[in-house]
């Protein structure tokens, strides 16, 4: 399948919007950035379903892996865009998308470090302008600083358009079957990283009973995540009420006055 | 706590700048500090009219600042309230704002990232992914409604709370916040552990052949417990993450290497 110029431009504009949104308004933040970005890329190229599948597969590998405190992490949303483009070029085979998406996501870490350094120059320029109260100039530097981040998406995307997704498909066809099979095993294992990070984040060691409960309802009762979340919500509400019940007598007076 | 220098309109403008510009120029060194200047700048200019004083305020704001953007609204609001306090001279204001900034950004990042970002991202992200795998984009819109609520309502509301209660917010509510965090982490741990069972996939093709008898290792493992290998992998990752100098990128690369090596020597497949 040939990608025309208008489609390329649309994909690039969309990717830049995604950067702005990720940093500021975060409208795609909670619904799986990979899924949204794969889906829209797919829609632009005429097959939303392929985009949804590539995006969702990558999303499940990365649940919980988030860039806290200015750290750099693999960029799976970019992987979802590139993967979708290649998958559609191959005639709709999702496997191609995954094979492209994962390495792209991992290599994008380098670009992430680069754009964060690039943004430092904008921040410094803004600081210098503010030091002599040229506020308009300062605000302009700040308001355009996020554009440095779009380099992270523009370079791989334009590279892919120049090389041609068809060539990438042909290249993947030359990859020996055992390597593809090994990568499939890896794809099944990768979600463990995000889960591990989240467990550490929520101090699983001290609250191991909830971990066991969650594992048990999913494994032995076969509940899905939403169903487990409903049970979790009930327990969380009980815990919250029990904890605040103990202190409500002590805080009711003082607190309300201050607000 | 209001001293009526800022009109309701000024405050609304400041909030809007925060909603649309909380992460405008994120580089190493200053992180979200330029965004803080961008969102507070015009409102503070109205309060601090002296040029030299305003320069000093800006200089103090251009220092490292980084926190969860939703919870950060509390910091923005509190700082604005401190600047507006007519009973305090400019040195004290600058000092107080720096103290709020550096004192709150750590705890708020912890609480905010866990409850307001990670947890909803995981729940909506998995819901949306499973629907998407069936070719159904509805999950995307469910997540987007939540995101829009967080961006256009929660961010503004927390800003307001910070502004109204000034620097006292965390002092007077620390107990409730702790309780909320505890309750939310119970929900989080249950969801994440359930997620492990459905997303992590790892099994072994190993067989032991003993004369006529063939023992399939995976069947034996399943008799102990289903999802035993995925659980072991998660425990391994958890342990790995606790090591010094370990980053998520290194862990990801380790898992990739483990999977490839494991496949080729025949223990995973």
């Amino acid at each position: 399948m040939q990608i025309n110029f208008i489609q390329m431009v649309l994909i690039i504009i969309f990717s830049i919007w995604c950067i702005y949104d990720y940093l500021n308004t975060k409208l795609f933040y909670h619904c799986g950035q990979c899924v949204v970005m794969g889906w829209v890329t797919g829609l632009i190229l005429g097959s939303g379903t392929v985009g949804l599948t590539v995006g969702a597969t990558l999303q499940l590998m990365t649940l919980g892996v988030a860039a806290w405190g200015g750290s750099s992490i693999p960029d799976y949303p970019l992987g979802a865009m590139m993967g979708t483009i290649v998958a559609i070029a191959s005639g709709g085979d999702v496997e191609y998308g995954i094979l492209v998406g994962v390495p792209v996501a991992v290599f994008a870490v380098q670009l992430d470090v680069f754009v964060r350094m690039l943004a430092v120059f904008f921040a410094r320029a803004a600081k210098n302008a503010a030091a002599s109260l040229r506020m308009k100039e300062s605000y302009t530097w700040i308001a355009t600083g996020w554009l440095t981040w779009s380099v992270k998406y523009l370079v791989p995307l334009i590279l892919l358009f120049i090389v041609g997704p068809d060539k990438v498909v042909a290249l993947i066809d030359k990859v020996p079957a055992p390597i593809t099979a090994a990568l499939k095993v890896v794809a099944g294992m990768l979600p463990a990283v995000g889960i591990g990070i989240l467990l550490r984040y929520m101090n699983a060691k001290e609250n191991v009973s909830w971990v066991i409960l969650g594992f048990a309802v999913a494994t032995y009762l076969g509940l899905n995540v939403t169903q487990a979340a409903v049970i979790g919500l009930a327990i969380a509400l009980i815990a919250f009420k029990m904890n605040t019940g103990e202190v409500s007598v002590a805080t009711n007076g003082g607190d309300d006055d201050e607000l | 706590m209001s001293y009526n220098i800022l009109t309701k309109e000024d405050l609304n403008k400041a909030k809007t700048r925060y909603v649309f510009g909380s992460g405008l120029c994120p580089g190493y060194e200053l992180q979200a500090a330029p965004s803080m200047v961008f969102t507070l700048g015009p409102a503070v200019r109205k309060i601090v009219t002296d040029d030299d004083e305003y320069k000093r305020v800006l200089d103090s704001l251009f220092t490292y600042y980084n926190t969860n953007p939703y919870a950060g609204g509390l910091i923005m609001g509190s700082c604005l309230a401190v600047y507006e306090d007519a009973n305090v001279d400019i040195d004290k204001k600058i000092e107080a704002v720096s103290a709020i900034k550096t004192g709150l950004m750590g705890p708020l990042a912890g609480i905010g990232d866990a409850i307001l970002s990670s947890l909803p991202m995981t729940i909506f992200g998995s819901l949306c992914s499973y629907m998407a795998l069936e070719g159904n984009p509805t999950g995307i819109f469910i997540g987007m409604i939540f995101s829009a609520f967080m961006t256009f309502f929660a961010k503004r509301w927390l800003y307001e709370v910070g502004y109204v209660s000034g620097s006292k917010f965390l002092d007077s509510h620390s107990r409730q916040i702790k309780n909320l965090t505890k309750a939310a982490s119970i929900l989080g741990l249950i969801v994440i552990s359930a997620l492990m069972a459905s997303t992590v996939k790892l099994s072994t093709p190993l067989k032991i052949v003993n004369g006529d008898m063939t023992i399939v290792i995976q069947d034996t493992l399943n008799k102990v417990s289903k999802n035993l290998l995925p659980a072991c992998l998660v425990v391994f990752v958890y342990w790995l993450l606790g090591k010094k100098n370990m980053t998520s990128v290194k862990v990801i690369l380790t898992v990739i290497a483990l999977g490839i090596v494991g496949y080729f020597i025949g223990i995973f497949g």
Side-chain angles (χ1 to χ4, degrees):
Chain A
M1 201 202 89
Q2 219 53 41
I3 298 175
N4 65 39
F5 186 70
I6 296 168
Q7 287 170 322
M8 290 181 195
V9 173
L10 282 176
I11 288 175
I12 281 170
I13 292 173
F14 175 67
S15 76
I16 294 174
W17 156 254
C18 285
I19 288 278
Y20 170 80
D21 181 68
Y22 170 71
L23 291 170
N24 297 285
T25 43
K26 298 187 192 296
L27 294 180
F28 299 158
Y29 198 60
H30 295 104
C31 47
Q33 250 199 314
C34 302
V35 187
V36 181
M37 288 171 68
W39 185 45
V40 175
T41 309
L43 286 179
I44 292 172
L45 297 179
S47 174
T49 325
V50 173
L52 275 178
T53 319
V54 173
T57 312
L58 290 171
Q59 183 70 49
L60 287 174
M61 290 182 204
T62 179
L63 277 177
V65 182
W68 307 134
S71 58
S72 291
I73 50 158
D75 201 312
Y76 284 95
L78 172 66
M81 285 188 96
M82 306 269 287
T84 302
I85 295 169
V86 174
I88 290 175
S90 77
D93 191 340
V94 174
E95 298 280 317
Y96 287 93
I98 312 302
L99 280 171
V100 170
V102 176
V104 164
V106 174
F107 283 122
V109 172
Q110 307 302 328
L111 281 170
D112 190 68
V113 173
F114 175 69
V115 298
R116 281 169 193 270
M117 290 197 297
L118 219 54
V120 169
F121 293 106
F122 280 66
R124 282 194 188 156
K127 192 178 176 180
N128 287 337
S132 44
L133 289 187
R134 283 175 279 130
M135 290 319 288
K136 231 181 187 167
E137 191 191 328
S138 181
Y139 291 145
T140 310
W141 281 114
I142 297 171
T144 49
W146 63 273
L147 278 168
T148 54
W149 279 49
S150 58
V151 171
K152 184 163 80 161
Y153 284 7
L154 290 182
V155 170
L157 281 172
I158 291 174
L159 214 63
L160 177 64
F161 290 145
I162 292 173
V163 174
D166 301 350
K167 297 262 169 57
V168 177
V169 172
L171 194 73
I172 293 173
D173 283 335
K174 291 202 185 98
V175 174
I179 291 180
T180 332
L183 284 178
K184 248 190 196 162
V185 173
V186 169
M189 291 167 76
L190 274 177
V193 179
I195 288 167
I197 291 173
L198 282 171
L199 288 177
R200 230 171 222 287
Y201 221 82
M202 307 211 169
N203 212 349
K205 220 172 175 181
E206 278 172 35
N207 303 295
V208 76
S209 49
W210 306 121
V211 179
I212 296 170
L213 182 69
F215 178 80
V217 293
T219 305
Y220 308 131
L221 304 181
L223 299 192
N224 66 29
V225 175
T226 323
Q227 291 160 337
V230 174
I231 294 178
L233 186 65
I235 298 173
L237 284 173
I238 296 170
F240 183 70
K241 275 205 171 151
M242 275 168 68
N243 286 335
T244 42
E246 286 163 18
V247 296
S248 64
V249 185
T251 53
N252 261 352
D255 263 285
D256 295 345
D257 289 348
E258 276 162 12
L259 268 178
Chain B
M1 220 22 222
S2 169
Y3 292 87
N4 298 325
I5 300 172
L6 297 178
T7 60
K8 209 167 181 174
E9 203 180 316
D10 293 329
L11 192 62
N12 261 331
K13 251 187 212 162
K15 284 183 198 166
T16 305
R17 281 176 94 90
Y18 188 62
V19 166
F20 291 99
S22 57
L24 281 175
C25 190
Y28 294 118
E29 185 181 63
L30 294 176
Q31 298 289 6
S35 268
M36 191 169 179
V37 174
F38 183 83
T39 59
L40 289 180
V44 175
R45 178 80 235 200
K46 223 186 151 190
I47 303 163
V48 183
T49 42
D50 182 83
D51 274 359
D52 278 335
E53 288 185 359
Y54 189 55
K55 271 184 201 169
R56 284 173 54 206
V57 168
L58 288 172
D59 193 52
S60 73
L61 285 178
F62 268 114
T63 49
Y64 183 87
Y65 168 70
N66 199 11
T67 193
N68 177 271
Y70 304 117
L74 280 172
I75 297 182
M76 298 295 147
S78 315
C79 291
L80 208 52
V82 169
Y83 284 125
E84 210 182 0
D85 190 338
N87 300 324
V88 180
D89 68 32
I90 191 74
D91 291 312
K92 284 263 169 61
K93 282 181 188 173
I94 289 175
E95 210 176 285
V97 165
S98 294
I100 293 175
K101 213 173 109 167
T102 50
L104 290 190
M105 67 184 188
L108 284 184
I111 298 165
D113 286 350
I115 305 182
L116 303 175
S117 298
S118 280
L119 188 56
M121 264 168 101
T122 312
I123 295 175
F124 288 111
S126 59
L127 178 80
C128 164
S129 300
Y130 285 118
M131 285 178 130
L133 284 178
E134 291 161 9
N136 181 353
T138 317
I140 292 173
F141 298 107
I142 298 174
M144 264 165 83
I145 290 170
F146 182 80
S147 299
F149 169 80
M150 292 300 289
T151 301
F152 298 118
F153 179 76
K155 244 170 153 182
R156 292 184 89 96
W157 180 71
L158 286 167
Y159 203 118
E160 180 72 29
V161 170
Y163 180 71
V164 171
S165 57
S167 54
K168 292 195 193 71
F169 179 79
L170 273 208
D171 293 340
S172 54
H173 289 266
S174 61
R175 189 114 194 211
Q176 264 122 311
I177 289 173
K178 236 182 224 160
N179 279 337
L180 192 65
T181 316
K182 256 191 191 161
S185 63
I186 292 177
L187 170 60
L189 285 170
I190 292 177
V191 169
I192 294 154
S193 313
L195 194 65
M196 169 168 77
S198 51
T199 54
V200 184
K201 297 209 164 55
L202 185 60
S203 57
T204 175
L206 281 181
K207 285 183 188 119
I208 298 173
V209 183
N210 186 4
D212 293 342
M213 283 248 296
T214 309
I215 302 168
V216 182
I217 300 284
Q218 187 60 46
D219 290 347
T220 319
L221 291 176
N222 282 347
K223 271 176 202 147
V224 180
S225 168
K226 268 201 272 174
N227 288 327
L228 191 62
L229 283 178
C232 291
L233 178 64
V234 170
V235 170
F236 170 69
V237 167
Y238 186 87
W239 170 79
L240 210 57
L241 283 164
K243 303 215 107 190
K244 255 194 185 164
N245 299 325
M246 195 43 84
T247 62
S248 42
V249 176
K250 281 186 201 164
V251 177
I252 287 171
L253 292 176
T254 309
V255 170
I256 290 176
L258 188 72
I260 292 174
V261 172
Y263 175 80
F264 281 110
I265 61 175
I267 52 172
F268 300 145

